[in-house]
Amino acid sequence: MDGVIFDSMPYHARAWSEAFSNIGLHFTEYQVYLQEGSTSSMTVNQVFSEQKGRLATEDEVHAIYEDKCRIFQHCGPAKPMPYMRELLELLKNRGYIIGIVTGSGQKSLLDTLSHHYPGIFSKERMVTAYDVRQGKPFPEPYLKGLQKCGVTAAEAVVVENAPMGVQAAKAAGIYTIAVNTGILENQVLEDAGADVVYGSVEELYKSL
């Protein structure tokens, strides 16, 4: 969702970076893009492991994530990714089943789906951070996505923008298209295993 459906990653990058800075830890916006798609607990625990030599407590994870959400909400509403509505309508008109798999669990962002993309998504075909025990790069999110959409890996295509998301989709055995809508180099997405990399959603839409 973030960085594919909505142009929200700059907000997430700023929010995570500031939330860690508020407790004296260093986490750059570039690192946020590299970690995109993982659950909040995975993100916090990685930073704690690297900089404190231990895992965070549940209270620490909750406090940092709450601060991150507070900062994110003050960034303003996330805008739809350019050409995404056209792409989704094209796919729907061609008869594709459309699901969404996201590491996010922020209600403010989920609520905007029906407003910006009416008739495209259904809750029954959504996988969020609350549906999985192991987030991206593990395959569980996409395996659950396949289940909710009622298709096999061979019948599915994933559109991703994050290296960890690409790794998760490939681990689930799904053909994966990467759209580089952020600040990472294309090579990062290629190295993660993307079958093809486009420079934008617009480029992907026009190719179809």
Side-chain angles (χ1 to χ4, degrees), residues 37-171:
S38 62
T39 63
S40 57
S41 60
M42 289 173 63
T43 299
V44 173
N45 278 318
Q46 177 171 327
V47 176
F48 266 59
S49 296
E50 292 175 351
Q51 299 184 37
K52 285 181 172 287
R54 65 173 176 85
L55 297 179
T57 65
E58 288 187 14
D59 287 343
E60 287 171 328
V61 171
H62 179 74
I64 295 169
Y65 186 63
E66 285 294 304
D67 192 31
K68 182 259 179 181
C69 290
R70 177 189 61 79
I71 298 167
F72 179 84
Q73 289 170 357
H74 281 86
C75 291
K79 297 179 180 179
M81 186 64 68
Y83 282 88
M84 180 48 67
R85 181 166 181 170
E86 292 88 340
L87 174 60
L88 289 170
E89 289 177 347
L90 174 66
L91 295 176
K92 184 178 181 181
N93 290 336
R94 290 184 178 180
Y96 284 88
I97 297 170
I98 300 174
I100 186 167
V101 176
T102 176
S104 177
Q106 297 193 64
K107 190 174 185 299
S108 62
L109 199 54
L110 293 173
D111 286 346
T112 62
L113 277 171
S114 60
H115 174 70
H116 291 290
Y117 302 100
I120 298 293
F121 298 105
S122 66
K123 289 185 178 180
E124 293 75 21
R125 291 174 179 159
M126 292 180 62
V127 178
T128 72
Y130 301 114
D131 296 312
V132 300
R133 299 187 65 181
Q134 288 186 309
K136 304 170 185 177
F138 295 98
E140 183 185 358
Y142 280 113
L143 293 175
K144 289 210 170 187
L146 293 173
Q147 183 180 23
K148 287 194 173 191
C149 289
V151 298
T152 67
E155 295 171 312
V157 173
V158 164
V159 178
E160 261 288 354
N161 71 304
M164 293 184 74
V166 171
Q167 291 171 16
K170 294 302 296 180

Side-chain angles (χ1 to χ4, degrees), residues 2 7-33 35 40 43-44 47 60-76 78 104 106 108-109 183:
D2 298 303
D7 192 10
S8 49
M9 272 309 297
Y11 297 165
H12 282 289
R14 172 187 166 188
W16 271 120
S17 184
E18 287 188 16
F20 279 113
S21 179
N22 287 341
I23 60 169
L25 297 177
H26 184 65
F27 196 51
T28 67
E29 293 189 4
Y30 193 88
Q31 288 174 298
V32 177
Y33 275 86
Q35 286 293 116
S40 57
T43 299
V44 173
V47 176
E60 287 171 328
V61 171
H62 179 74
I64 295 169
Y65 186 63
E66 285 294 304
D67 192 31
K68 182 259 179 181
C69 290
R70 177 189 61 79
I71 298 167
F72 179 84
Q73 289 170 357
H74 281 86
C75 291
S104 177
Q106 297 193 64
S108 62
L109 199 54
I183 60 177

